[in-house]
Amino acid sequence: MEKSIAFEKDLNLEATELRLGLPGTKESEKQTLSAIKSNKRVLPDMSEECGSKDNSDVSHIKKCDQEVAPPAKAQVVGWPPVRSYRKNCFQAKKMEAETTGMYVKVSMDGAPYLRKIDLKVYKGYPELLKALEDMFKFSAGKYSEREGYSGSEFVPTYEDKDGDWMLVGDVPWDMFISSCKRMRIMKGSEARGLGCAV
Amino acid sequence: MMNYFPDEVLEHVFDFVTSHRDRNAVSLVCKLWYRVERFSRQRVFIGNCYAISPERLIDRFPGVKALTLKGKPHFADFNLVPQDWGGYVQPWIEALARSRIGLEELRLKRMVVSDESLDVLSRSFTNFKSLVLVSCEGFTTDGLEAIAANCRFLRELDLQENEIEEKKNLWLGCFPDSCTSLVSLNFACLKEINLVALERLVARNPNLKSLKLNRAVPLEALQRILMRAPQLVDLGTGSFVLDRDSDDSETYRKLRGTILKCRSIRNLSGFLEVAPRCLPAIYPICLNLTYLNLSYAAGIHGSELIKLIRLCGKLQRLWILDYIGDKGLEIVASTCKDLQELRVFPSDPFGAGHAAVTETGLVAISSGCPKLNSLLYFCQQMTNAALIAVAKNCPNFIRFRLCILDPTKPDPVTMQPLDEGFGAIVQSSKRLRRLSLSGLLTDRVFLYIGMYAEQLEMLSIAFAGESDKGMLYVLNGCKKLRKLEIRDSPFGDMALLRDVGKYETMRSLWMSSCDVTLGGCKTLAKQMPRLNVEIINENDQMEFAHEDSQKVEKMYLYRTLVGPRKDAPEFVWTLV
């Protein structure tokens, strides 16, 4: 057994071996699953119909000796084992959240009236800031974790669920949109306390 | 010696024997005892409605007053059993109605209940007192109207997680003014309710101890209801949000005041929607709570959740969402020293996201709560080291159900299967009765289960094992096994057929997406006439080639005294 492996290495058969894989990728020699018989079914890559009781065909693909790394969103019928009732409750919530939008008021110091924006529409901070800059005709400057916003008189801030005023940009985007109640674009001296280097 | 006592004496002695199992044992001692026992039996539990017929039940236990029936197999909860599979309660109610049985209590789980069944039920038993429906379907609010209107002495109406079609919103108003006997009312699974009728109903039922509201009951109404029912022991709030028009601070003040008077509340649930600022109103009851169910309270998380938990020093049972996180579980561990049961549910039940708890949280719980005996834990990952620690800290598990969101995930630290971890659990918890496995698992875990899990009654297996040996270890070793359910695991005919007699000692076996073939199932059915071997074949009939070598997608077999059922739909074949 060992001899033949050594032999194969000398011939560099690897270089000419036909395999299913992108060129340049190497199938790892030490298979953590190699001890396990290859009867395991791979999680089918399908999305489950939410709340439906219909069990559509689940095709099982048997793969031998390959590491099974299901993609992040792979869903299997009946897994995780959660009662339909519970799934339906949370589905309703999810759908509610997805369709109703997440409108928050935005005020700017010195502006005569407030605006409202839908946070759901933006995929991240850069888009949001650009939209605010366009809406209120200002420039937010450059953000850094240490210094906050530099190079501008204006600082975007928001009020979170606990009622505290925070600097926009510090927390991950998802956390931001779920905790942001409203926004305020602060100007001048007030802004200094929030790390604006003027 | 007992044979010289008159029957009445025996009966009196048997009155003290209350558990089903004990009474079943009593009935097997001798013919005399069998006879006395059967005439005096009032409470009957039927774990599989197809194992026996209503006629035989009535014949043997003419004095039955309280009946529990279960229908569909457990995996029906997870959409693995198609609609219309069965589990109808109608024939039971019809038979009982025709007989002279004085039914007073009916408890149904995973059954199909029609409005007609509820109507017949409500009109056939004058002393009917208690209806509990868990995970049932097939009825509408029309059926509830009949129950409310006709059951004059109703004490309990408990609707848990049912799928109910809501037509008119009148049923609660159908309770007559003379209905003053209610002790327990749970309608949390409905979407609507008539608030006026509800308040009136609560006002005239002073014995109400358990009340679980639905999301249509806002805070203002809750406050008024609690004013009428300060004697409640078990409260399920509906929504915990204020109506738009109300005055926040005034309502909050009133609510707080009312809650202070509710000194008996020990169980709290609900919070289907939450206005976090109002939560402090319930702080005073937290101190006395023994059961807290926040598993539907998606609106309580972060610091509010922690504040709440910190006050609940007497908790024995806690059901929460995984928002709590590992850090939150550490706080549970240091606060809830009497904790016996913990259930952590996924906040994303579709499994696509990330569970916020890992092995760290579980280890913390085990170390702070040594009385823990029942666990349901949906998590991101688990390690052998953690399970071994948990096994050492908590040797008293009766129920241990672990669900890793990625069902074949190995120990992320060592990349090993979780065999050793689960092995430690079964070895240390000698009284373990129920076990659910997940994560990467080889045949070895089943070796351990067969060796150590002597009291195991129910085992759930998914995406586990390597060969027939795995299943055989379990069938050979677990003498008390009653229910075995397996999905997506490489067990086939060899394991299925090795010990066919075993299945008559069990309630049921479910196998889906395994390696058993039609031929294997046929062989089993032929050898064991007192088993119903059902093949569920949802695909187009033509595709299923009827070849013995074909693998069976879903098989459900169960012992029965009444042969193949007559209500099986087209896609269910009972093999003979």
Side-chain angles (χ1 to χ4, degrees), chain B residues 281-437:
Chain B
I282 58 158
Y283 289 171
I285 12 177
C286 292
L287 302 160
N288 289 322
L289 288 181
T290 53
Y291 172 43
L292 178 61
N293 180 356
L294 296 178
S295 67
Y296 286 98
I300 306 182
H301 42 89
S303 53
E304 284 128 13
L305 179 55
I306 300 302
K307 271 190 229 162
L308 208 57
I309 299 282
R310 280 199 200 277
L311 294 169
C312 300
K314 293 202 188 140
L315 272 189
Q316 295 173 16
R317 294 165 64 205
L318 175 62
W319 293 22
I320 32 167
L321 291 168
D322 62 9
Y323 288 139
I324 190 141
D326 288 334
K327 288 270 175 273
L329 288 175
E330 282 169 29
I331 293 174
V332 172
S334 62
T335 309
C336 310
K337 292 309 190 185
D338 287 336
L339 198 68
Q340 294 175 32
E341 175 176 327
L342 175 67
R343 296 196 190 191
V344 181
F345 291 91
S347 46
D348 182 356
F350 299 94
H354 256 58
V357 297
T358 69
E359 74 276 12
T360 309
L362 186 59
V363 172
I365 290 283
S366 73
S367 125
C369 310
K371 293 187 195 172
L372 196 67
N373 62 39
S374 176
L375 180 74
L376 172 63
Y377 196 72
F378 284 82
C379 59
Q380 187 62 27
Q381 62 184 44
M382 186 53 57
T383 63
N384 282 310
L387 286 174
I388 290 168
V390 169
K392 188 152 161 267
N393 294 334
C394 297
N396 298 314
F397 280 113
I398 304 174
R399 271 173 241 109
F400 191 90
R401 294 153 71 187
L402 189 72
C403 179
I404 303 172
L405 287 191
D406 171 358
T408 55
K409 194 175 170 128
D411 177 329
V413 173
T414 62
M415 297 311 284
Q416 293 300 304
L418 292 178
D419 303 333
E420 300 305 314
F422 279 106
I425 295 285
V426 295
Q427 196 174 356
S428 108
S429 284
K430 305 205 189 312
R431 280 175 282 178
L432 192 68
R433 296 205 304 253
R434 183 170 180 181
L435 179 64
S436 299
L437 308 169

Side-chain angles (χ1 to χ4, degrees), chain A residues 128-147:
Chain A
L128 171 66
L129 288 171
K130 177 96 181 32
L132 290 174
E133 286 174 337
D134 284 344
M135 199 183 255
F136 290 96
K137 312 275 181 284
F138 76 103
S139 166
K142 191 167 177 319
Y143 171 83
S144 80
E145 215 179 286
R146 258 188 38 153
E147 310 264 323

